[in-house]
Amino acid sequence: MTKDFLVLIVDDNVNNIFALKLLLTKLPGIKILEATSGEDALLQCIEFNVHLILLDVQMPKMNGYETARHLQMMERTRTIPIVFLTAHLRSEAFIQEGYALGAVDYLTKPIDDNLLLNRVRHYQHLHDRETNLWEKTRELQSTTDQLQNTLNRLKQTQAQLIQSEKLAALGRIVAVVAHELNTPIGNCLTVATTLDEKNQVFENIVKSGEPLKRGQMLDYLEQTHQAMNIISRGLGRAGELVENFKKISVDQESDSKKQFDLKTLVDNTMTLLLLSDKESRWKMTISIPSAIILNSYPETLEQILAILFDNAVTHGFEGKTQGHIRIKAKTDDQRVALSFSDDGCGMSEETQQRIFDPFFTTRLGKGNNGLGMSICYNLTEGILGGHISINSQPAQGTTVTLEVPLVAPEFAAV
Ligand SMILES: Nc1ncnc2c1ncn2[C@@H]1O[C@H](COP(=O)(O)OP(=O)(O)OP(=O)(O)O)[C@@H](O)[C@H]1O
Ligand SMILES: [Mg+2]
């Protein structure tokens, strides 16, 4: 260490102080302070950062022990090591008293030079190591503080990112909802306005008292009929969309928890779904062991299967004349993993990343809203208390796996 080791020599005899001082100059890195009385020693200890005291025991007025007692009473000076210098070691009790007052050593006069130098060097080393340790601790503390700050900043950034991602997702949802609803509502508005104009014309003819021809009457009725048709189809479509949007938020009330056999449920559901395939283009293989009993929500599971089937057919088998769907299940005594695979066109990495986002679809404007997989996600994670995952490669087909507990939670988690 580069800092000086400060030694205070306390002796009422200036000759002794001089001799000790001379001796200690042999040691590098030592700085000496002098005091000729106990009182003076206390003052110096308060004023300077003393590292070691060589304290004469026999002094007039305040002797070494009294001085040590006062040093003990003050926080700042309590831990300074003291080496008592005494003409003789009178008794065991005498020595003990010194140690009780914080002495770390006794040296008897006449002082053995080498012994003293060794002792002082020893305390100097101890002090150096302590200072070193203290500085290391401070460095460590400052590194820890920096790490903590970095961590806090990271957390803040992460929270901001999550927030902006949520806002962006909300923005996308609002844009799609607005766009989807805008088309049927806009159509209805246009037709209603046109109809109103035609009514106006019709009203004017009636008011004018001109005779109303049969052809005019029939024309008017035909146009009204067509307009009403467009309006009711548009409103019907808007209503349907709102119904679909509502499905994104999980509604548990429609299904109640009960016991059912997984294989039976899957067999029955898929048989019904396959009925829509009149040309028998899709092959179905179901490999589910019998007697996997779930205490869960059967209609929810049926709804998920219907969505996965619809996706396999609409997206996986799009443009194909044949396709194979495989449904498998395996279980331990807590959970069941149900996988639904098709050997269709698969999907890109980007589609997989966004597949659970509400309103994400690759068939925009072709009758799809991009709600199926987000509904599956909410139903699986929220009602069944499980987890849904996708494994797909372009041209390799798609596997959707549901991992659900055999006993579903009582209350929806979302
Ligand atoms: N089995 C599959 N094979 C290939 N692509 C799929 C499959 N399932 C889903 N996808 C892709 O994931 C997208 C999102 O599917 P999701 O079911 O959420 O919406 P959608 O089917 O497009 O619309 P909706 O279900 O509302 O009619 C699809 O548009 C499609 O690109
Ligand atoms: Mg779908």
Side-chain angles (χ1 to χ4, degrees):
M1 293 300 299
T2 46
K3 277 200 185 139
D4 283 329
F5 183 65
L6 203 54
V7 180
L8 173 65
I9 305 172
V10 191
D11 202 311
D12 58 320
N13 183 333
V14 284
N15 290 334
N16 286 347
I17 294 184
F18 182 73
L20 284 173
K21 210 171 145 181
L22 210 61
L23 185 63
L24 290 182
T25 49
K26 291 184 179 169
L27 292 177
I30 302 264
K31 222 174 139 186
I32 310 281
L33 288 173
E34 304 165 21
T36 49
S37 69
E39 292 89 338
D40 190 14
L42 292 178
L43 286 176
Q44 304 240 27
C45 283
I46 291 167
E47 188 172 345
F48 301 103
N49 204 5
V50 174
H51 300 125
L52 176 69
I53 306 172
L54 302 179
L55 183 56
D56 184 23
V57 175
Q58 288 85 22
M59 288 188 295
K61 288 187 21 203
M62 188 188 288
N63 71 21
Y65 288 153
E66 283 169 292
T67 311
R69 201 168 288 119
H70 279 96
L71 287 169
Q72 272 277 299
M73 287 180 335
M74 289 184 290
E75 181 75 36
R76 176 170 163 71
T77 55
R78 188 170 296 151
T79 52
I80 306 172
I82 301 171
V83 175
F84 279 116
L85 308 175
T86 173
H88 41 75
L89 289 176
R90 278 178 294 192
S91 66
E92 186 65 20
F94 175 85
I95 295 171
Q96 287 309 327
E97 189 184 354
Y99 281 129
L101 291 172
V104 287
D105 247 324
Y106 272 99
L107 291 180
T108 42
K109 292 180 183 174
I111 307 288
D112 179 326
D113 288 359
N114 279 333
L115 198 62
L116 180 79
L117 287 178
N118 277 339
R119 292 292 153 84
V120 173
R121 199 180 290 127
H122 169 72
Y123 291 112
Q124 189 183 15
H125 282 163
L126 274 183
H127 170 75
D128 283 357
R129 272 171 40 194
E130 202 176 282
T131 316
N132 224 327
L133 201 70
W134 188 78
E135 285 191 354
K136 285 260 153 38
T137 314
R138 227 177 40 176
E139 273 171 30
L140 203 72
Q141 184 59 45
S142 124
T143 316
T144 316
D145 288 351
Q146 279 174 16
L147 278 175
Q148 189 59 48
N149 280 343
T150 314
L151 193 70
N152 288 346
R153 273 205 305 277
L154 268 176
K155 279 188 182 159
Q156 250 175 21
T157 317
Q158 190 193 29
Q160 280 165 1
L161 277 176
I162 290 174
Q163 188 59 23
S164 55
E165 182 46 41
K166 274 187 189 163
L167 286 176
L170 186 66
R172 282 198 295 270
I173 292 173
V174 171
V176 177
V177 172
H179 174 264
E180 292 289 317
L181 285 177
N182 215 18
T183 313
I185 292 175
N187 288 346
C188 291
L189 207 64
T190 317
V191 175
T193 318
T194 320
L195 187 64
D196 193 39
E197 284 165 4
K198 291 200 186 310
N199 274 344
Q200 199 64 56
V201 175
F202 190 71
E203 193 184 331
N204 289 343
I205 296 175
V206 174
K207 277 186 183 159
S208 71
E210 281 175 34
L212 201 61
K213 296 189 186 114
R214 187 164 177 273
Q216 275 178 318
M217 185 67 186
L218 285 176
D219 228 24
Y220 171 73
L221 286 175
E222 174 60 19
Q223 282 170 351
T224 314
H225 185 62
Q226 271 179 11
M228 288 306 179
N229 245 340
I230 296 174
I231 290 176
S232 70
R233 262 190 284 133
L235 290 180
R237 174 75 185 134
E240 203 181 287
L241 285 170
V242 170
E243 269 313 300
N244 276 338
F245 299 153
K246 269 164 57 187
K247 282 192 200 146
I248 309 175
S249 67
V250 167
D251 155 31
Q252 200 185 4
E253 277 165 26
S254 53
D255 195 3
S256 57
K257 193 173 163 185
K258 45 179 110 63
Q259 284 216 341
F260 58 92
D261 178 83
L262 183 65
K263 182 171 165 45
T264 314
L265 178 130
V266 175
D267 279 345
N268 293 345
T269 311
M270 296 327 287
T271 306
L272 279 176
L273 290 170
L274 272 181
L275 285 178
S276 62
D277 175 28
K278 297 200 178 63
E279 298 112 54
S280 307
R281 288 169 299 167
W282 322 132
K283 192 175 156 204
M284 176 86 61
T285 310
I286 299 174
S287 321
I288 300 182
S290 41
I292 299 182
I293 305 297
L294 273 82
N295 186 1
S296 188
Y297 297 90
E299 283 166 33
T300 300
L301 200 52
E302 282 168 13
Q303 198 182 340
I304 294 172
L305 288 171
I307 293 172
L308 297 182
F309 178 78
D310 181 55
N311 277 352
V313 171
T314 316
H315 307 291
F317 302 152
E318 188 179 17
K320 291 182 190 274
T321 49
Q322 295 205 314
H324 192 166
I325 292 172
R326 289 182 179 81
I327 305 180
K328 293 184 194 160
K330 57 179 187 206
T331 180
D332 55 23
D333 53 354
Q334 300 278 319
R335 301 172 79 80
V336 59
L338 185 70
S339 64
F340 190 108
S341 314
D342 66 62
D343 61 351
C345 66
M347 60 185 99
S348 67
E349 186 63 41
E350 198 216 331
T351 300
Q352 281 180 66
Q353 280 182 1
R354 301 189 53 197
I355 194 163
F356 297 122
D357 289 359
F359 302 109
F360 170 74
T361 180
T362 49
R363 283 174 56 89
L364 198 66
K366 294 185 190 164
N368 292 76
N369 301 128
L371 292 177
M373 291 309 288
S374 83
I375 293 171
C376 279
Y377 181 91
N378 286 347
L379 294 176
T380 311
E381 310 258 337
I383 292 194
L384 303 182
H387 181 61
I388 185 167
S389 57
I390 307 276
N391 190 354
S392 182
Q393 297 265 330
Q396 303 283 313
T398 298
T399 297
V400 179
T401 305
L402 312 177
E403 273 186 78
V404 294
L406 292 177
V407 179
E410 286 307 323
F411 301 105
V414 292

